[in-house]
Structure formats: C-alpha cells, structure tokens
Amino acid sequence: MNICHILTSQTAKRPDQSAIIEGVDENTRAVTFAQLADRSARAATLLRMSGLSKGDRILLFQPVSIELYVALLGIFRLGLVATVLDPSAGFKHIEQCCKIARPKAFLGPARAHLLRFLIRGLRQIEHHIVTSVWAPFAIRWTKLERLDPLNAITPCPPSHDALLTFTSGSTGTPKAAVRTHGFLRAQHDVLAASIDLMPREIDLPALPIFVLANLASGVTSVIPKCDLRQPGFIEPEPVLQQIDRHQVTRTIGSPALYDRLLEGAHARKRNGTKDLGLASLQKLYTGGAPVFPPLLQKLQAAMPKGDVIVVYGSTEAEPISHLNWDAASDHDRASMYAGKGLLVGMPVNQIQLKIVSNQWGTPLPAMNTQEFAGVELPSAHPGEIVVHGHHVLPGYLNGVGDEETKFRVNDQIWHRTGDTGYLDPHGRLWLLGRAGAIIQDEHGVAYPFAVECAASQLHFIKRSALASLHGERLLAIQLKSHAPADVDQQIFTTLSWAHIDRIIRVRRIPVDRRHNAKIDYTSLKIKLKRHVS
C-alpha cells in the first residue's frame, strides 16, 4: 500500500480539523486535513506535468513548513522518492549526495535555488521547482492553485522506495538511508503505539518525521516557530506563545530544545508573566541525544500534571526504547549518578534487541542462530547494542555502509547501533556511550555516558565529555556562570571511581548539528590537543 493512503486516511474522518499550524500571532497559518489532501493532490498534478513519474527522485530543500508536507504528500501520491539532505553540511556534502542519489528534480524556495550557481550537482538536475517568489528556469509552485487535483494514488508495493535521507559514516562519506513504503508504514505503527498518538491531540513536533505520524493519526501538528536546525540556540518565547495560544498538549524534540524552553519559562516567571508555559503539556517526549536526569527533573517540575518520556532511537531504528521518568526509582537515579550508565527503559515490543561482544570497527560475519547465541551477552554485561525489526533499516543505498553497521543471522538483517549498553535484570536498557569513544587503559574500561551522566549531578556543569589523549583520561567541562572556586576538587571527589587524570575547561564542547546535544568526540579531541602539551 502506498504510504499516502495512510497519511490521508484522516481526511474523511476529520476534514475540518487543523492538520498543520505554523507561525505565531498575526502570521499564523493553518491547513485542515481536507485542505492538505486537496492541495497535495494539486501538487501531484504539478509534479506529473513537470515530467516526473513513479520512481523518480526529487531533492527537497524546503524548510519545515506546511508546504514541505504538501510536497511530501504529493510526492508519495505519485510514487516519487523524496530525497532530503542537510544543506548546512556544506557544498562538498551536497555535491556528494547529488552524485549518489541522482535526483531528477529539485524543489525549494528561491534562496535554495541560488545554490545552483555554486554547486554543479544541483545545476545538473533536470527539473527545478521554486516554492516562493521566482527562480530562473524553475516552475513556480503557485501554478498548482490553478490545477485540478490528482485524486488517484499511484499503487506502490511495500518494497517501493518512498524516502531517501543521508547520514555520514565513520569515514565522513554520506550514506543514503532508504525508507520504503512498507518501512514507513511499520514505523508509523510503532510510533503510534509507543508515543501514544491519539486523534485530536495537539502536538508541537520538533523532529520532522513525527509530523507524518501525526497526520496518519489525526493529531494536529504545530510547527515550532524557530530554526529547527539549531534547537540549542532558539529564541524560546515564540515557541512558548505557540504552546499557550494553540493549547498544545504534547511535544517531541531534542533535549537541547527543551533546555532552551525551560530558560524561556524561567524568564517569564521572573518577568511576572502568568502564561502557563510548559505546565499545560500532558506529554513530553525527548531523545535524539543523551537526556540526563537533571534536565528530566526540571521538565517534570515544570509540567507537574504531565508525563516526561525519554525516547531512544536512531536514524536507522526509531524508536528502540522509551522510559517514563516517573517510572525511574530513587535507586535508578542514584545508580545513574554513581556511574552505572543512562537508563532509557524497556525496548519497544516491535523490536528485537540484543547485547553482543563489542567488536565495533570490525565487520561481523553472517551467523546462524547458534553462532549468534555465542556472541550474545547475558544480563548486566555491557557490549554493543544490536537491533532487528520491521522498522529497522535493513541497508543503505547501493550497500554503502552495510559492512560497517549490518550483519545477517540466518535470513534476518540486524543493525549495529554503534552504542554500547546493557540490559538489567528487569529487561531495561542502560546506555554507556558510543562504541568508538570507549576508553580502555591501565585502570580498566571507562564509558563516556557513565561518566558524563554522573558529572551532570554537579549543578555548575553545563556539559561534560570524556576523552583519552596521550594515555590520559581527560574530562572536558563547559561551566555555567557563577561556578564555585573548587570546581576541580568537587569533580575529582564525585568521580573518583572514573580515574580522571585531568580536567580541561573549554568555552564550548562541540556537539552534533542536528540535535545540538550529542558530543562530537572527533572534534573534541582536536580541541583538547590545543590544551594538552
């Protein structure tokens, strides 16, 4: 079944309900489920008239907006393949991705089309569509207003490609993650169950893929009024205004986003503003990066009548596990602060999860069931986290990256997450950090998340990161303002079990671009070399 059938299934049930809302104050714009279906059907007509047909790839540089989802639904309706990459990754990355994907069309606003003058791969794309104003040799998106809707949905088998996104492997070479119509259906089924999507709820999703899950579930999506490419640096007040005005009941996003919203809520309180802020939320889901206890406790305090839930997953497997913070006991919190790792809850029912001997960096051979059992580790033993399921990506385009992250057990393809962790006696997953960032020396094994999670209990630390350089264990720390004079002594005392050799103060610890919360250990080591002679 074409995924568009699922995404437009709510049109007849709730035609007049808002599907997507964007903007704030007088610039607010909304589209109902019926309007979205009609507009996307007209978009399909425009795409077909542009010379595109089933299986063609179309590169999207459209910001998160109503028009992005109009375009996506039109693309899926025709059986085209939406191709998405991060323009901020640089010209070389865009050039590489164009060479890999070979899109037949390019869609985006006028400013995105300026890149055609700078990037050869974009100029070589046959068809160009501009969604705002005008661009040379580009078809105007506004033409769809005058077109008849293409109500028919192109039949697509579950194996037909629907969405192509890019990630980077350890070498920095882009890997193309292909999601088929069957994969998107399976992912929706898991998300709807694991994050408890209920019709007529109002969600503020800061992770774009979740808008698709909302559309298929009858949930209204409010697009955050901020730059979602930099969640750790947003201006919080417009987003808080959206939560107030639209009576948002749930939200999902990066921990860096919620850190900023908490700062905005505190600023409101200092100014005497009586708006509810986060207190009106009933459910808050956060993930995409480590979420440490202090932030979860602050969020729970800010929304005393709501649930704060940690979601663990990855590009290739979303979701893997989840944890309602209320379900974490005092003993669990004490264990996290004592260096036992980061608790992320029970694996979702639709996934198989195993802990195997850590061999990251070495391809795993095909195995039979008995051989797989031989590398599987028992409860409480740390190792690599590997997963299998219908919503787990079975491979990358042209097999590039498969050797690094995939292996086969009989006829099943398993995915290596690149994370280390263990399952406790209750079957709950504890994260210990990236497999490539583990330190092994004369003191034994040190796990990044275990140390960084424990360090988070010190109120003066904004962010910390563990690394090894020249045989020393280094803890980089980014301090909050008004830190005490005995910072180093408090850290050495609290983390005595971690055998830290040196503490390095840095102005900013490098983090990933997407979530602004995951440590970029490669860049960190480069930065630390300047501090270590």
Side-chain angles (χ1 to χ4, degrees):
M1 177 184 287
N2 188 315
I3 190 62
C4 197
H5 285 103
I6 308 300
L7 296 175
T8 58
S9 63
Q10 300 296 324
T11 303
K13 298 177 183 177
R14 52 195 92 255
D16 300 324
Q17 178 186 325
S18 292
I20 305 176
I21 302 171
E22 65 180 17
V24 68
D25 294 332
E26 66 276 3
N27 295 318
T28 298
R29 179 183 172 217
V31 60
T32 66
F33 279 93
Q35 290 169 337
L36 181 63
D38 178 75
R39 188 166 177 79
S40 63
R42 295 174 191 274
T45 300
L46 178 67
L47 294 171
R48 187 175 64 178
M49 290 176 58
S50 302
L52 300 176
S53 58
K54 183 177 178 179
D56 288 340
R57 294 175 184 152
I58 176 168
L59 180 60
L60 296 178
F61 271 13
Q62 183 68 24
V64 179
S65 60
I66 289 174
E67 289 311 313
L68 172 63
Y69 294 96
V70 168
L72 278 172
L73 290 179
I75 288 167
F76 294 151
R77 183 179 290 271
L78 275 184
L80 306 177
V81 184
T83 304
V84 182
L85 55 87
D86 180 8
S88 67
F91 291 177
K92 180 180 178 182
H93 178 81
I94 296 173
E95 194 77 67
Q96 288 177 312
C97 293
C98 287
K99 187 175 181 180
I100 293 168
R102 300 188 180 280
K104 192 172 181 180
F106 171 44
L107 183 148
R111 64 180 180 275
H113 284 267
L114 293 175
L115 294 173
R116 287 158 48 193
F117 296 100
L118 303 172
I119 301 173
R120 183 167 177 263
L122 295 180
R123 289 197 300 274
Q124 291 179 328
I125 296 175
E126 185 176 353
H127 304 287
H128 299 93
I129 302 166
V130 61
T131 55
S132 65
V133 196
W134 172 88
F137 309 109
I139 298 169
R140 294 193 185 189
W141 190 245
T142 51
K143 286 181 61 178
L144 65 84
E145 310 285 358
R146 302 188 297 273
L147 300 175
D148 293 329
L150 180 65
N151 292 315
I153 296 177
T154 302
C156 292
S159 60
H160 187 75
D161 293 350
L163 179 63
L164 183 67
T165 60
F166 285 89
T167 182
S168 293
S170 57
T171 62
T173 302
K175 294 186 298 185
V178 184
R179 295 170 177 82
T180 65
H181 285 261
F183 180 95
L184 289 178
R185 172 62 188 268
Q187 186 176 56
H188 164 67
D189 290 343
V190 179
L191 287 173
S194 61
I195 64 174
D196 197 23
L197 293 174
M198 301 296 292
R200 298 195 180 280
E201 285 189 297
I202 303 175
D203 186 23
L204 184 123
L207 301 173
I209 193 68
F210 288 90
V211 177
L212 295 180
N214 287 346
L215 290 175
S217 301
V219 174
T220 297
S221 297
V222 178
I223 305 297
K225 180 62 177 177
C226 62
D227 186 353
L228 292 176
R229 297 169 299 178
Q230 294 288 322
F233 302 92
I234 67 156
E235 173 58 45
E237 182 56 29
V239 182
L240 291 173
Q241 289 179 22
Q242 289 180 300
I243 293 174
D244 293 336
R245 176 173 178 176
H246 302 298
Q247 298 180 323
V248 171
T249 58
R250 57 183 296 140
T251 178
I252 186 163
S254 160
L257 172 79
Y258 297 123
D259 203 24
R260 291 291 297 145
L261 291 184
L262 283 171
E263 291 179 19
H266 292 155
R268 281 182 162 196
K269 190 173 182 180
R270 289 194 301 271
N271 296 333
T273 303
K274 294 183 180 180
D275 291 333
L276 290 173
L278 301 181
S280 63
L281 296 173
Q282 297 171 14
K283 304 170 195 169
L284 184 150
Y285 296 85
T286 182
V291 192
F292 294 136
L295 175 59
L296 294 168
Q297 290 170 327
K298 291 176 186 176
L299 288 170
Q300 192 68 79
M303 41 182 293
K305 296 181 180 179
D307 292 323
V308 176
I309 302 107
V310 176
V311 180
Y312 167 58
S314 68
T315 299
E316 297 85 355
E318 181 72 69
I320 293 174
S321 71
H322 54 77
L323 170 74
N324 191 316
W325 184 240
D326 266 351
S329 67
D330 290 340
H331 181 265
D332 293 330
R333 295 181 178 92
S335 295
M336 285 188 264
Y337 286 147
K340 302 301 182 183
L342 180 61
L343 177 63
V344 290
M346 296 291 293
V348 298
N349 293 331
Q350 297 89 341
I351 207 166
Q352 295 182 58
L353 184 148
K354 303 289 185 184
I355 308 296
V356 301
S357 303
N358 186 6
Q359 302 177 58
W360 185 252
T362 301
L364 292 179
M367 294 176 255
N368 59 35
T369 303
Q370 185 176 0
E371 291 168 331
F372 190 33
V375 299
E376 184 182 348
L377 297 175
S379 175
H381 284 65
E384 271 191 64
I385 301 169
V386 299
V387 292
H388 166 76
H390 292 301
H391 72 290
V392 178
L393 198 73
Y396 301 100
L397 185 67
N398 302 325
V400 176
D402 287 357
E403 185 180 38
E404 177 187 11
T405 62
K406 309 295 179 184
F407 66 100
R408 187 177 291 273
V409 179
N410 295 332
D411 60 345
Q412 292 183 341
I413 297 175
W414 284 71
H415 172 68
R416 305 170 73 180
T417 64
D419 291 327
T420 57
Y422 63 92
L423 293 169
D424 67 16
H426 304 289
R428 301 178 305 174
L429 180 63
W430 292 69
L431 298 183
L432 293 170
R434 296 297 292 170
I438 292 172
I439 297 172
Q440 191 158 10
D441 54 23
E442 60 184 11
H443 296 295
V445 180
Y447 294 100
F449 285 4
V451 175
E452 294 156 12
C453 183
S456 72
Q457 67 188 287
L458 298 171
H459 66 89
F460 50 80
I461 292 181
K462 182 177 180 63
R463 180 174 283 122
S464 68
L466 180 71
S468 176
L469 201 60
H470 306 317
E472 288 188 302
R473 291 186 180 186
L474 308 178
L475 185 70
I477 58 170
Q478 183 178 331
L479 294 174
K480 298 178 182 177
S481 57
H482 310 299
D486 62 341
V487 163
D488 288 12
Q489 184 57 50
Q490 287 196 48
I491 293 174
F492 280 127
T493 300
T494 303
L495 303 179
S496 58
W497 49 269
H499 304 289
I500 304 297
D501 292 306
R502 295 174 64 178
I503 296 168
I504 309 294
R505 303 186 190 194
V506 297
R507 188 176 67 85
R508 180 172 293 169
I509 290 174
V511 293
D512 69 301
R513 291 181 176 180
R514 182 182 177 195
H515 298 291
N516 298 160
K518 290 192 290 190
I519 305 298
D520 182 343
Y521 291 99
T522 301
S523 298
L524 175 67
K525 281 199 172 184
I526 295 172
K527 182 184 285 277
L528 290 177
K529 284 179 181 178
R530 306 191 193 111
H531 295 267
V532 179
S533 57

